[in-house]
Amino acid sequence: MAPSDTARSKPAPRKGKATPAQGPSFTREEELEAYRRMLLIRRFEERAGQMYGMGLIGGFCHLYIGQEAVVTGVMMVAKEGDQTITSYRDHGHMLACGMDPKGVMAELTGRRGGYSKGKGGSMHMFSKAKQFYGGHGIVGAQVPLGTGIAFANRYRGNDNVCFTYFGDGAANQGQVYESFNMAELWKLPVVYIVENNRYAMGTSVTRSSALTDFSKRGQSFNIPGEQVDGMDVRAVKAAAQRATDWCRGGNGPIILEMQTYRYRGHSMSDPAKYRSKEEVQKMREEHDPIEQVRQRLLSGKQASEDELKAIDAEVRATIAEAVDFASHDAEPDPAELWTDVLHPAGAGL
Amino acid sequence: MYCTLPAPDSDMATNVLMPALSPTMEQGKLTKWLKKEGDPVKSGDVIAEIETDKATMEVEAVDDGLIAKILVPDGTENVAVNTPIAVIAGEGETASSEVAPGSEPATPEPQPTPAVPMAPAAAPKGVPAEALPEGTAMVTMTVREALRDAMAEEMRRDETVFILGEEVAEYQGAYKITQGLLDEFGARRVVDTPITEHGFAGLGVGAAMAGLRPIVEFMTFNFAMQAMDQIINSAAKTLYMSGGQMGCPVVFRGPNGAAARVAAQHSQDYCAWYSNVPGLKVVVPYTAADAKGLLKSAIRDPNPVIFLENEILYGHSFEVPQVEDHLVPIGVARIAREGKDVTIVSFGIGMTYAEKAATELEAQGIDAEILDLRTLRPMDTAAIVESVKKTGRCVTVEEGWPQCGIGAEISARLMEQAFDYLDAPVVRITGKDVPMPYAANLEKLALPSVAEVVEAVKAVCYR
Ligand SMILES: Cc1ncc(C[n+]2csc(CCOP(=O)(O)OP(=O)(O)O)c2C)c(N)n1
Ligand SMILES: [Mg+2]
């Protein structure tokens, strides 16, 4: 992959608030696929929340409810070999990457059938097979890692891109900007996806950020960016398509600010007093990513209530199976405490 | 936030269970019911408010139905997690007063218990009596309250003291240590930062060089690794590099070590790391009295002080002397329990294992002395040597990793300074030499245990 040496023509960034009246449209198949994938994440997360309350899941558990359209839309343009890396709010990303809900749920309950054999928990899961690189608990740390994965793509000369997700809060960490500089300097194929859900724990974007337009955060490095309605899966997919084209074309990194919202508290132990109930309610009622697709399918007569109910039932069955597995699988063997500290091939002495 | 129905897909009655809402929650208060018996509820309705020592949270219904029976009334304290608090009947079902059958999880798996039980520890026996005037009144408070009071008192006393960190102001602290400080001192002195540890730690060091007295809160010390360079290269070394001109009176504080089930990246003990560094003072309080007195001393200290707290201890209650200005000197250990057979040296949360082990050992006829170091740097070596001269045996207890740990340091010092008094080799009880696993059973194994301490003591006593 050779970066073009002609002057770069940047994809025209869309300015201001997204949600164009005339958004990109989906075929019936795309609508149904998006519906199914988002619903899987929603139902999975709802059950994870319940299981936390019952004490079957411990520690921190950060739910993705409300943000489903972001990872779903992006994964609709991913191709074989593209990589994904994100923070601790990672269950949705794993499901979107095609990881097995049983293995994810079993990791949440700390069982041996979990993706990390029960050793990682909610925040730390990985899948080489699905090119999912975690699952990181330290805010911002995944950004240089994603940049390094993109470096490896360029080094190998393949045309894969690394989708590197981080939050609006993480966007203030210094290592993000160190990464931006290197990524642009070396034209690395990385799509930086800022999931701007308006809050970092209890701190709203306006209380933490001097510049709240995250799509502009790459400007001083010459990295283009755009703001996207992250509640509309069609807009997400279209933006992701432009971004991956840009990266695969050897133009270097790009930033997508996904404007989204988390319905639940930051983690299970967040009383969420920093925002009003009305604010949450309004987002749920007027912008819910799943409801939007549902309404379009029904009003456009592209699907019947019964068809959607059947998808619902299928998704519920998948989740029920995952829950069942995750509640009955055995805890890890005590001997696992000592394994995986060093790679067996280099663990001598 | 919400609850807790096993949500069977039938219409049968289900129990609403007291939900767990945080990694360390074991019980809470049922503050208020927002629904009465007979009220219909829809999934997502808030049905009750519960309160933990950290926060008030809402319990939401996760299914539709009606409240058939309220099992735990308003205002009940100490409701254990997973206790049924109400019964919701499915639509079309009559209210039954029985606890719904079959609503337990299919297999009641062993509940992930926090590795260290939350029960408040007994008040320390060995508060140095000489330090307190006869008849000093004591008040019971949590470590959390003691830390808050220490900061508030020092901020009242010295206008240059301010606090800086993530969620310290409007959110009242991620672990509620700074509760109320914003109200009293305002946003000029209680400053919410973006998530930029390296930046704000360095900013704190700069402000200290310029004559202010910052208290920099790390949400947890795991995140201080982002700021390590400023702590070591800027805070710890500048006085030396400037030939004594440029002091740095900053306190870096926050919870250190393992909480419960938060896995490898959120469960590291940094005691040994910081105590390796000349130019820093390192304080690790156990009791509320020490937390208060040592934090006040740390804020007044002209040097950078690393103040390592522990999330699990925040809710523990202890007696705190009710005196005008309760200061505990940095660098002085405390005899927490007098004994003659063996010296157990520990600090911070390690003390919980030491105290329980001593009680068990007493029943087995072994009289252990417990030394609570309280400060790791400078370390009160004299107190350790003094005790070992009396007992001839020593076991160290810490949650950190063994290699180059605090126990390793103590062993070396005893070899150098008390070799002739030792009747047995020093034994270290530490966290296991692995990253912290998430699974409940493995986490328990990774941490030290009371049984390991008891065994070690018996071994050094040849029993
Ligand atoms: C370096 C570091 N500092 C602080 C934390 C504690 N923490 C965890 S998540 C979080 C908020 C992050 O917000 P954002 O980046 O917006 O992501 P979101 O949670 O909204 O998905 C904070 C402060 C951490 N995990 N790591
Ligand atoms: Mg956020």
Side-chain angles (χ1 to χ4, degrees):
Chain A
M1 179 194 81
S4 64
D5 39 10
T6 54
R8 306 163 62 199
S9 63
K10 306 212 161 178
R14 275 189 288 127
K15 287 285 173 253
K17 291 278 164 279
T19 325
Q22 223 49 42
S25 63
F26 266 10
T27 62
R28 175 188 131 88
E29 282 62 43
E30 285 172 319
E31 296 278 31
L32 285 171
E33 184 190 343
Y35 182 73
R36 183 189 307 269
R37 290 190 186 195
M38 291 195 288
L39 203 62
L40 181 75
I41 298 174
R42 174 77 49 98
R43 297 282 175 261
F44 182 95
E45 294 291 66
E46 286 168 353
R47 287 309 295 265
Q50 288 170 28
M51 297 195 25
Y52 190 96
M54 292 159 66
L56 286 164
I57 297 171
F60 293 131
C61 185
H62 309 85
L63 303 181
Y64 196 59
I65 298 179
Q67 302 179 215
E68 296 92 343
V70 177
V71 78
T72 303
V74 170
M75 286 314 287
M76 287 174 87
V77 308
K79 68 171 207 175
E80 187 70 29
D82 288 348
Q83 305 97 344
T84 297
I85 189 166
T86 189
S87 69
Y88 44 82
R89 197 178 298 288
D90 55 357
H91 313 161
H93 299 71
M94 294 187 279
L95 297 177
C97 285
M99 288 167 66
D100 182 355
K102 287 204 309 212
V104 179
M105 195 64 97
E107 189 59 39
L108 296 185
T109 55
R111 306 305 168 92
R112 60 178 62 178
Y115 267 99
S116 299
K117 305 179 196 161
K119 291 163 145 185
S122 163
M123 299 187 286
H124 312 300
M125 274 181 251
F126 307 81
S127 167
K128 260 247 146 93
K130 300 292 178 190
Q131 291 294 296
F132 180 73
Y133 282 77
H136 298 270
I138 301 302
V139 168
Q142 74 273 27
V143 180
L145 301 178
T147 308
I149 294 165
F151 183 94
N153 288 337
R154 185 168 186 276
Y155 189 87
R156 293 204 169 96
N158 64 34
D159 72 344
N160 283 121
V161 305
C162 180
F163 299 109
T164 301
Y165 296 83
F166 53 101
D168 46 281
N172 293 321
Q173 284 286 37
Q175 51 184 323
V176 170
Y177 299 91
E178 300 179 19
S179 303
F180 281 3
N181 185 45
M182 290 185 286
E184 179 63 21
L185 186 64
W186 299 325
K187 297 281 184 278
L188 305 180
V190 50
V191 182
Y192 293 113
I193 299 161
V194 185
E195 295 201 57
N196 178 3
N197 59 12
R198 303 197 199 172
Y199 297 91
M201 264 183 172
T203 305
S204 65
V205 162
T206 47
R207 292 207 303 117
S208 67
S209 295
L211 174 68
T212 57
D213 181 342
F214 293 95
S215 71
K216 292 188 181 147
R217 289 285 183 104
Q219 271 186 357
S220 59
F221 306 95
N222 215 20
I223 303 177
E226 74 174 277
Q227 289 188 316
V228 183
D229 178 355
M231 304 302 275
D232 180 353
V233 68
R234 300 168 305 173
V236 173
K237 185 191 169 208
Q241 190 64 62
R242 288 190 290 277
T244 44
D245 289 349
W246 174 259
C247 283
R248 292 198 219 283
N251 298 301
I254 187 164
I255 296 168
L256 298 180
E257 175 192 340
M258 298 292 181
Q259 300 182 322
T260 182
Y261 200 77
R262 73 166 149 73
Y263 297 174
R264 294 291 175 84
H266 167 74
S267 66
M268 300 301 298
S269 36
D270 172 13
K273 292 204 173 125
Y274 44 82
R275 61 183 186 185
S276 69
K277 289 210 171 93
E278 292 69 40
E279 179 183 308
V280 182
Q281 208 46 40
K282 197 169 152 59
M283 285 305 287
R284 280 182 160 171
E285 278 164 14
E286 297 173 14
H287 298 279
D288 187 74
I290 301 177
E291 201 48 34
Q292 286 186 40
V293 180
R294 204 181 121 77
Q295 286 311 328
R296 281 198 303 270
L297 279 166
L298 292 176
S299 64
K301 305 247 183 306
Q302 292 182 301
S304 65
E305 282 274 6
D306 282 348
E307 266 174 288
L308 297 186
K309 272 201 179 132
I311 294 178
D312 253 51
E314 247 174 73
V315 165
R316 275 182 196 278
T318 307
I319 302 301
E321 200 189 336
V323 168
D324 187 58
F325 176 70
S327 350
H328 293 95
D329 191 28
E331 289 189 310
D333 189 296
E336 283 290 350
L337 180 64
W338 301 101
T339 63
D340 306 319
V341 179
L342 289 175
H343 195 284
L349 279 185
Chain B
M1 266 192 42
Y2 76 41
C3 75
T4 71
L5 302 180
D9 291 318
S10 73
D11 279 346
M12 62 187 226
T14 45
N15 287 337
V16 180
L17 306 179
M18 183 72 171
L21 295 170
S22 80
T24 49
M25 174 173 170
E26 288 200 330
Q27 57 181 34
K29 174 177 176 181
L30 207 161
T31 321
K32 178 157 105 214
W33 281 103
L34 303 172
K35 300 276 177 192
K36 316 184 292 299
E37 289 183 4
D39 283 355
V41 289
K42 283 214 316 294
S43 170
D45 283 356
V46 177
I47 57 175
E49 279 176 14
I50 63 172
E51 202 177 302
T52 68
D53 54 356
K54 280 204 297 211
T56 306
M57 309 279 291
E58 290 170 344
V59 180
E60 286 176 16
V62 292
D63 259 338
D64 300 351
L66 64 94
I67 306 267
K69 179 87 186 156
I70 285 175
L71 302 168
V72 175
D74 284 11
T76 310
E77 309 248 11
N78 306 331
V79 182
V81 164
N82 270 336
T83 308
I85 55 174
V87 181
I88 292 191
E91 284 147 291
E93 198 188 0
T94 47
S96 137
S97 63
E98 291 308 307
V99 170
S103 55
E104 293 296 306
T107 341
E109 290 295 337
Q111 291 310 308
T113 32
V116 180
M118 291 279 287
K125 293 181 191 169
V127 177
E130 70 277 16
L132 296 174
E134 195 67 39
T136 303
M138 301 296 266
V139 51
T140 303
M141 66 168 78
T142 61
V143 171
R144 172 178 281 116
E145 292 160 341
L147 291 166
R148 195 257 328 273
D149 287 359
M151 289 189 283
E153 286 177 22
E154 293 306 299
M155 288 174 82
R156 282 174 211 133
R157 182 179 164 272
D158 179 351
E159 213 271 328
T160 64
V161 177
F162 69 101
I163 176 149
L164 181 75
E166 292 161 20
E167 309 287 2
V168 296
E170 293 196 11
Y171 200 80
Q172 310 290 322
Y175 297 99
K176 298 283 176 275
I177 306 302
T178 50
Q179 187 135 38
L181 296 185
L182 175 65
D183 279 353
E184 181 174 351
F185 300 103
R188 176 172 165 265
R189 299 181 68 193
V190 185
V191 183
D192 274 330
T193 63
I195 310 171
T196 50
E197 286 84 4
H198 199 197
F200 71 71
L203 186 150
V205 173
M209 287 171 170
L212 299 184
R213 289 190 173 258
I215 305 169
V216 176
E217 174 174 307
F218 290 115
M219 192 177 285
T220 79
F221 262 92
N222 302 287
F223 316 141
M225 276 203 285
Q226 299 283 317
M228 209 45 130
D229 180 70
Q230 292 292 5
I231 299 171
I232 312 294
N233 267 328
S234 304
K237 298 178 184 171
T238 301
L239 184 69
Y240 193 80
M241 295 189 300
S242 66
Q245 298 172 67
M246 190 72 77
C248 183
V250 59
V251 176
F252 294 105
R253 53 153 290 273
N256 167 66
R261 305 293 306 283
V262 293
Q265 291 187 334
H266 283 77
S267 305
Q268 191 168 334
D269 178 359
Y270 293 91
C271 288
W273 279 40
Y274 290 108
S275 71
N276 186 242
V277 183
L280 295 178
K281 292 189 176 182
V282 183
V283 175
V284 193
Y286 167 49
T287 69
D290 285 348
K292 182 171 183 193
L294 282 163
L295 183 52
K296 284 165 64 80
S297 296
I299 294 168
R300 293 185 200 182
D301 201 284
N303 296 291
V305 179
I306 308 291
F307 197 89
L308 301 168
E309 302 157 11
N310 184 286
E311 189 193 330
I312 290 166
L313 292 180
Y314 281 153
H316 283 214
S317 293
F318 296 87
E319 306 267 87
V320 177
Q322 229 177 349
V323 291
E324 179 70 20
D325 198 16
H326 173 63
L327 288 169
V328 173
I330 292 175
V332 182
R334 168 182 78 97
I335 297 172
R337 183 185 195 281
E338 289 200 65
K340 60 181 185 344
D341 297 333
V342 59
T343 303
I344 304 177
V345 185
S346 192
F347 49 90
I349 192 154
M351 287 293 295
T352 58
Y353 306 96
E355 289 188 334
K356 284 185 197 123
T359 309
E360 278 187 32
L361 288 161
E362 187 175 331
Q364 301 181 33
I366 297 176
D367 184 17
E369 175 142 308
I370 303 178
L371 199 61
D372 175 1
L373 283 181
R374 305 196 288 192
T375 302
L376 298 179
R377 187 180 189 101
M379 192 181 280
D380 191 350
T381 315
I384 305 172
V385 169
E386 203 53 40
S387 176
V388 169
K389 278 185 178 172
K390 180 169 73 174
T391 63
R393 300 154 209 279
C394 180
V395 169
T396 66
V397 184
E398 66 193 300
E399 283 194 350
W401 289 313
Q403 182 158 336
C404 305
I406 303 299
E409 178 63 28
I410 292 168
S411 309
R413 290 187 189 208
L414 286 172
M415 296 267 274
E416 290 161 358
Q417 300 181 36
F419 186 74
D420 292 339
Y421 295 92
L422 283 171
D423 295 324
V426 177
V427 173
R428 293 173 288 165
I429 297 300
T430 67
K432 306 305 180 293
D433 200 16
V434 299
M436 184 62 75
Y438 166 73
N441 65 330
L442 298 186
E443 185 187 62
K444 211 170 190 165
L445 293 171
L447 289 164
S449 69
V450 174
E452 285 169 352
V453 180
V454 168
E455 278 316 301
V457 166
K458 283 161 77 175
V460 300
C461 292
Y462 304 113
R463 295 269 294 265

